[in-house]
Amino acid sequence: MASEHPFQTLFETLGRLPLVHAEPVNRHAYDVLHKALDVPLEKPGRCILLRAPRAGHGKTHLLSRIQHQLGSSHEFIPLHAAFGCQIDASTVTDDTLRRLLRALPAAGGLCALDLVTRRLFALALQPLVSSGEVPCQDREAALAALRLRPIETFDFHHPNAVTAHWARENFEILGQRLGAELAQRCGMPVREVAFWVDVLFRFAATSPDNPLRLRVLSDSVHAGNPPDGVFMERLEALLGMLTLLMRVVLVADELEGFSSDETAALRLAAFLGSLRQSVERLDVVLSLNLDIWQSAFLPKLSGGLADRLSEVVVELEPLTDEEMVALLNSHAPGLGERILSRINREESGRHARGLIRAAGQAWVKAAESEAPPAAVPPAPVENAAGESFVIHPPAPESALPEAEPACPPPITPDPADSQEAPPPESPGQAPPNPDRVDELLRQFRERYGRSGP
């Protein structure tokens, strides 16, 4: 069908690997962004400003590819704006937990938060075992298990996980020591780290099959409707703990809702700047179109805050002719140049979404022009009696079936004719077969009702 064509996908979803990709498109931006994020765990984080001349240049596509490439060592957390233009400590906490609560197919029904909790507890317990504060019969074997097999060692649901069951029985005292150790490692307040140690323990120690597990977690985080300052401290503590295990990247994309609210843009900029100062290893990607950056952010930002948001700037550029052909070829292999020749580039613009939309329109137009016109059914009419019937127009001569040749009147053979000599034979023509002649006469009589003698 003309409506079905390879250019129907105009928008990407952050975190979902794009099905179609043209390698030359935004290649330089990909290399810059990849280099900025692919750094060792202990390196400080940075705020990266990903900027495009307008919407549709492929920011989300680029971010999704980076996330897929670095997903084994990085945790990308998409930030969702509440009410279109509100991103704060409460919403980012929910975004972080939502991301960590995703199911892991190879983890036997566990989610990412289960594994994070076990790894954090194993990390915090190691110095306590090493110093002898937590006694054990075989210290070296215990340390090896905590370093190399933290997921199995702190499996609260396995009957043979001795360390996990011991920790459960003694968590009232052990939890305080784990919280203090993690707070020292990530440089966060002990009170807020201890809050998360308690919340995470109760979550991880509850069976994954328990339907109330998620509700208890949410109620614990939002209990008492804590003020913004408390939420901010708790978020910083949570992100600080996560950065002990992995690179954490907050991604603020789809920010069109900030275009008409300079105050909301200023609050977002100040919020992200504060997080970056508090959580040293945290990376932040601010993905914006140039018009929103200039109209909503720049007018309210101080020079220092603008500098903080743009430690690394990644600019997307308009498509070149070669990149246009490559992009079209990625959707319709081998047809890129042919499709591009049917597109008005001034109307489509030199951005990916405009080109793909124009290519879809050109594809539909070409398909409709090559398809045969559809027959228009005759309209029903009514006679004087109110009866409805259809008058079919006469078919064109070329559509009429061939008429059968008129049948000649039956001929009675004269007996004398049978005595006449046969007609002279044409050179090379075989004499008529008498049996064949009799058969033809019989068929003739049966068809036209002439009885034989």
Side-chain angles (χ1 to χ4, degrees):
M1 297 175 61
S3 60
E4 297 179 359
H5 55 79
F7 300 98
Q8 299 193 45
T9 302
L10 297 177
F11 298 90
E12 302 284 359
T13 301
L14 183 61
R16 183 181 302 169
L17 183 64
L19 299 177
V20 179
H21 171 66
E23 190 64 26
V25 177
N26 292 330
R27 180 67 207 186
H28 177 70
Y30 176 90
D31 292 338
V32 174
L33 185 57
H34 188 278
K35 183 178 180 181
L37 292 175
D38 189 19
V39 295
L41 180 63
E42 65 275 6
K43 290 289 185 180
R46 288 182 287 184
C47 191
I48 302 170
L49 178 60
L50 175 60
R51 198 162 54 193
R54 56 148 292 158
H57 273 268
K59 301 187 304 297
T60 304
H61 182 107
L62 173 61
L63 290 169
S64 296
R65 290 187 59 232
I66 291 287
Q67 178 177 353
H68 178 76
Q69 183 67 27
L70 300 177
S72 60
S73 56
H74 292 54
E75 190 66 78
F76 286 78
I77 301 175
L79 305 186
H80 300 85
F83 311 109
C85 59
Q86 177 183 333
I87 295 179
D88 54 25
S90 176
T91 67
V92 176
T93 299
D94 290 341
D95 290 333
T96 303
L97 292 177
R98 183 185 302 112
R99 176 65 182 167
L100 295 176
L101 288 173
R102 73 187 186 280
L104 300 177
L110 299 178
C111 66
L113 189 58
D114 285 303
L115 307 190
V116 164
T117 301
R118 297 180 188 184
R119 292 175 62 192
L120 284 173
F121 286 1
L123 181 67
L125 188 59
Q126 289 178 42
L128 303 183
V129 173
S130 181
S131 65
E133 184 174 348
V134 174
C136 55
Q137 296 180 350
D138 190 342
R139 182 180 304 175
E140 294 303 322
L143 288 173
L146 291 172
R147 285 194 302 265
L148 303 177
R149 299 187 303 277
I151 307 302
E152 296 84 354
T153 302
F154 267 96
D155 186 351
F156 295 100
H157 314 294
H158 196 288
N160 297 328
V162 179
T163 301
H165 293 295
W166 173 85
R168 184 203 298 266
E169 295 170 359
N170 297 275
F171 191 78
E172 185 175 351
I173 298 176
L174 180 63
Q176 300 177 14
R177 294 295 297 115
L178 296 179
E181 181 62 31
L182 289 175
Q184 182 179 358
R185 282 176 174 262
C186 64
M188 295 294 167
V190 175
R191 182 186 61 184
E192 307 308 330
V193 173
F195 167 82
W196 285 112
V197 168
D198 181 65
V199 169
L200 295 180
F201 166 73
R202 284 188 278 120
F203 176 82
T206 304
S207 171
D209 298 330
N210 191 326
L212 299 178
R213 191 164 80 136
L214 297 182
R215 178 183 296 179
V216 171
L217 174 66
S218 178
D219 291 345
S220 300
V221 173
H222 294 276
N225 193 20
D228 293 341
V230 174
F231 249 126
M232 187 66 176
E233 293 177 351
R234 289 180 180 177
L235 173 62
E236 292 170 348
L238 176 60
L239 294 176
M241 293 165 62
L242 294 178
T243 59
L244 296 175
L245 306 176
M246 65 196 80
R247 299 294 304 189
V248 178
V249 185
L250 302 183
V251 182
D253 192 25
E254 304 290 346
L255 300 178
E256 282 73 14
F258 290 82
S259 60
S260 58
D261 194 334
E262 296 179 3
T263 302
L266 176 60
R267 284 198 301 266
L268 174 62
F271 167 71
L272 295 178
S274 178
L275 274 182
R276 274 286 303 112
Q277 284 185 289
S278 300
V279 187
E280 183 182 8
R281 298 181 183 179
L282 180 68
D283 289 299
V284 176
V285 177
L286 185 62
S287 175
L288 285 169
N289 298 323
L290 183 60
D291 57 344
I292 298 178
W293 172 253
Q294 293 178 339
S295 64
F297 283 82
L298 281 184
K300 290 285 187 178
L301 297 186
S302 65
L305 191 52
D307 290 344
R308 287 187 180 278
L309 293 182
S310 56
E311 292 179 79
V312 178
V313 179
V314 181
E315 298 278 6
L316 301 188
E317 302 292 341
L319 296 173
T320 64
D321 290 349
E322 293 76 12
E323 291 170 342
M324 287 184 175
V325 173
L327 180 58
L328 296 175
N329 275 330
S330 68
H331 289 262
L335 299 177
E337 292 185 359
R338 183 177 173 185
I339 296 172
L340 186 59
S341 66
R342 295 171 175 255
I343 293 175
N344 185 332
R345 303 184 200 183
E346 293 184 0
E347 295 182 358
S348 67
R350 289 186 172 271
H351 58 285
R353 186 180 301 155
L355 182 66
I356 294 173
R357 179 183 285 113
Q361 295 170 351
W363 185 288
V364 172
K365 185 181 296 185
E368 290 176 347
S369 64
E370 295 175 3
V376 180
V381 297
E382 293 185 358
N383 59 13
E387 298 172 338
S388 178
F389 61 96
V390 175
I391 299 178
H392 294 275
E397 293 184 1
S398 60
L400 291 175
E402 293 187 5
E404 291 188 6
C407 298
I411 301 175
T412 303
D414 192 324
D417 293 341
S418 61
Q419 304 299 324
E420 294 180 1
E425 297 179 6
S426 301
Q429 181 179 2
N433 186 340
D435 295 334
R436 176 61 177 163
V437 173
D438 292 340
E439 175 63 17
L440 291 174
L441 288 172
R442 184 185 64 78
Q443 293 178 8
F444 185 87
R445 296 188 190 101
E446 289 177 353
R447 183 170 185 180
Y448 299 108
R450 178 75 174 180
S451 301

